[in-house]
Amino acid sequence: MRIASPKVLSLVLSTCLLTFPLASEQNVKKTIKEDLNKGRDKHLCMVLRKNIKRSLSLNALRGLAKKENAQGLLDEIKATRNTKLKNLGISKGEFISLTHYINTIADDKTCRYDKKDTGLSHTIEYDRDTRKYFIVLQGDGVYLDRGAKKTVSKALCYKKNGGFVVARAEQTIEMDRELRFTKKFRGKPGLFKTLGICHHQEGDTQYHTIYSQLYQPGSLQAIFRKDYRLSFYEKVRIAHSITKGLYTMHKKGVVHRDLGIKNYLINIPKGKPGRRQIEACIADFGRTQKASTVISDPRLQGNTTYMAPEGHFFKKLTKNAHARLDVFAVGCVFYRLFYDKKGSWQNKNYVMRDPRPVSVKYREHKRRVIQATAKRREQLRKQQNRSPKAEFEYLILRMLHTDPKKRVDAHTAYRTLIRISKRV
């Protein structure tokens, strides 16, 4: 079978458009007026979706809404104008139709409005606890990241005065524990800001979704990979926020257990390195547990290259040991933040791929950490009137002490960074 050339297809399409022209502005206005007067909100959503910008501008719609005294529609027009939709794969007509659906048809009992059922261009999700509506975006332009069974993309959180972009993390694995701790630490300092939690099922698959503040450029891993330039002030600010989050968790008797560079989110304002007001926080509570009930296993940190040497004896660890293991993992991250390189002891995965006896692995691991940290730590310990930079370096090396009893705790690290921040 022969396929028509692009020119022929273009001609056919043009003919179709001439045969079925777009509705005139006058006819669209007439339909909208009738829908407003008769309360045909669902039909109005479809009219707005198809005709705004194509047959009717927002200014013309605003004039009609004022004439009809339709305050709700006026609010939706304002919200559409206040929302930056560029590069999100959603038009103004689609957005205003979605907002009108939320304001007139949606209720506080339904958690998901699938586009297949509503006829809208995008799916809407609702969190009953936070009473927030989220518009699920689609397309390559909104993709952010992907994990083992988790996909992170952009979405829109809708408020009466406009929408703003958020992160949407959806996964299919069991995550009751993660959701429990996400709710527990919602709004707590130093921990990622969640805005909503939603669930839905498709066939036999249960989906769980966490909506959170959008952090750009994203994870600390992205910062290191892309060689972002950071001033000393900004590095201290990042460390201060992270230790605040860690102290928040430990104070509640909770350990994170997955503190590699992927699980810190960073928001860097535009501008040159200096005194940018960078936001940083701890994220992903998939391995989080109460310290009193934690079950030890070989993967004491999600990425074992962040594990402290004593972790090799995971079967003998006391419940209190896991908080110090968290501190060591954060110390590994701060080491890279300060020195712009990974710790030399992190070049080897000691637990999962090393068949040697535990005692041998422990001694080598400990020796490599000591070799990289002990001499400089002792030099700094003897210094009097340390500069802020030396004080920060000394703190990092104390977080990496191979003796867990001499390793600083999260509270000490946090208080030390408060003092350093005041001097920078």
Side-chain angles (χ1 to χ4, degrees):
M1 185 177 78
R2 295 182 64 186
I3 299 174
S5 69
K7 286 185 177 180
V8 172
L9 289 173
S10 178
L11 181 61
V12 171
L13 181 60
S14 300
T15 305
C16 290
L17 289 174
L18 289 170
T19 308
F20 303 102
L22 297 174
S24 67
E25 179 177 324
Q26 186 177 356
N27 287 338
V28 173
K29 282 184 174 181
K30 182 180 178 182
T31 302
I32 291 173
K33 183 177 177 180
E34 289 176 355
D35 287 345
L36 287 171
N37 291 333
K38 296 180 180 180
R40 299 188 307 209
D41 293 307
K42 191 167 184 179
H43 185 261
L44 178 55
C45 289
M46 300 303 109
V47 173
L48 294 172
R49 175 188 170 185
K50 293 178 180 178
N51 291 286
I52 293 304
K53 198 173 181 179
R54 295 172 66 190
S55 301
L56 188 68
S57 68
L58 280 179
N59 278 336
L61 179 63
R62 184 173 179 273
L64 174 62
K66 286 184 76 172
K67 188 175 180 180
E68 296 298 316
N69 197 27
Q71 187 57 49
L73 189 54
L74 287 169
D75 291 339
E76 290 150 14
I77 294 166
K78 184 178 180 181
T80 303
R81 284 177 165 166
N82 289 343
T83 305
K84 296 179 180 179
L85 300 174
K86 190 177 180 181
N87 300 323
L88 295 179
I90 181 171
S91 68
K92 290 181 179 180
E94 289 170 335
F95 182 79
I96 196 171
S97 70
L98 288 158
T99 62
H100 189 71
Y101 191 96
I102 290 170
N103 291 329
T104 60
I105 299 172
D107 56 56
D108 58 2
K109 295 178 182 178
T110 306
C111 295
R112 183 177 168 89
Y113 301 88
D114 198 294
K115 63 179 183 178
K116 293 181 293 185
D117 302 321
T118 61
L120 296 169
S121 57
H122 295 70
T123 294
I124 301 167
E125 292 189 321
Y126 175 68
D127 181 359
R128 295 176 190 169
D129 292 337
T130 61
R131 297 183 179 181
K132 286 185 170 64
Y133 283 96
F134 303 95
I135 297 170
V136 181
L137 300 175
Q138 53 211 16
D140 296 336
V142 299
Y143 168 80
L144 292 172
D145 201 358
R146 181 172 282 113
K149 289 192 176 181
K150 179 186 293 184
T151 302
V152 186
S153 58
K154 295 177 183 177
L156 280 169
C157 180
Y158 171 66
K159 286 187 173 181
K160 191 174 181 180
N161 60 345
F164 58 96
V165 180
V166 297
R168 180 180 188 268
E170 182 181 75
Q171 61 190 57
T172 57
I173 59 174
E174 181 59 50
M175 56 185 298
D176 287 349
R177 183 174 61 192
E178 181 175 356
L179 294 176
R180 186 169 70 252
F181 284 112
T182 298
K183 289 179 180 179
K184 180 181 179 69
F185 291 116
R186 180 180 279 158
K188 300 297 182 183
L191 303 172
F192 82 120
K193 298 175 183 177
T194 57
L195 302 168
I197 296 173
C198 299
H199 313 267
H200 73 278
Q201 188 154 342
E202 292 183 19
D204 296 330
T205 306
Q206 179 76 28
Y207 290 87
H208 309 274
T209 306
I210 297 175
Y211 288 94
S212 66
Q213 176 182 327
L214 180 66
Y215 294 83
Q216 295 284 20
S219 71
L220 196 54
Q221 183 182 52
I223 303 295
F224 291 144
R225 280 182 175 175
K226 296 177 182 178
D227 293 325
Y228 270 79
R229 290 180 57 216
L230 300 167
S231 67
F232 177 66
Y233 167 86
E234 292 166 348
K235 290 180 178 182
V236 168
R237 186 177 175 89
I238 290 170
H240 173 254
S241 296
I242 288 171
T243 53
K244 185 192 293 185
L246 189 64
Y247 172 53
T248 299
M249 295 185 74
H250 287 184
K251 185 170 61 173
K252 296 290 185 182
V254 173
V255 288
H256 189 281
R257 302 180 69 245
D258 195 4
L259 289 164
I261 57 172
K262 275 187 173 183
N263 289 335
Y264 308 89
L265 296 174
I266 311 292
N267 202 31
I268 303 181
K270 291 181 180 179
K272 295 180 180 180
R275 299 186 73 84
R276 291 173 295 186
Q277 299 304 294
I278 293 176
E279 293 180 81
C281 64
I282 295 172
D284 197 336
F285 302 135
R287 290 177 53 82
T288 299
Q289 293 186 27
K290 283 188 175 181
S292 60
T293 60
V294 66
I295 300 173
S296 292
D297 60 62
R299 296 182 70 88
L300 291 166
Q301 291 291 324
N303 184 329
T304 57
T305 62
Y306 293 87
M307 185 186 76
E310 71 270 17
H312 291 282
F313 302 103
F314 65 92
K315 293 180 180 179
K316 299 180 180 179
L317 291 176
T318 64
K319 301 300 181 185
N320 296 328
H322 291 271
R324 299 297 172 113
L325 289 164
D326 272 358
V327 170
F328 186 91
V330 174
C332 291
V333 174
F334 288 178
Y335 185 96
R336 187 168 178 180
L337 184 67
F338 184 83
Y339 293 109
D340 293 318
K341 64 179 182 180
K342 286 172 62 175
S344 56
W345 66 91
Q346 290 189 274
N347 295 332
K348 194 164 188 177
N349 188 320
Y350 291 93
V351 178
M352 308 304 290
R353 301 174 187 171
D354 193 334
R356 294 176 300 167
V358 170
S359 58
V360 175
K361 292 188 287 186
Y362 166 73
R363 285 196 298 270
E364 182 185 323
H365 192 171
K366 183 176 179 180
R367 176 185 61 78
R368 286 165 66 100
V369 177
I370 289 173
Q371 194 174 39
T373 61
K375 184 177 178 180
R376 180 58 178 161
R377 181 171 57 242
E378 184 61 17
Q379 290 174 346
L380 291 166
R381 186 186 69 80
K382 293 178 180 178
Q383 279 188 17
Q384 294 183 348
N385 301 318
R386 285 184 290 267
S387 67
K389 194 168 185 177
E391 196 68 50
F392 184 36
E393 184 181 13
Y394 184 45
L395 170 64
I396 294 167
L397 298 178
R398 288 162 68 205
M399 294 173 77
L400 293 170
H401 209 296
T402 54
D403 183 347
K405 292 181 180 178
K406 294 181 180 179
R407 194 177 303 149
V408 297
D409 59 15
H411 182 237
T412 301
Y414 172 50
R415 297 300 301 175
T416 301
L417 278 158
I418 289 176
R419 293 195 299 271
I420 295 171
S421 298
K422 291 178 179 178
R423 297 176 59 197
V424 178

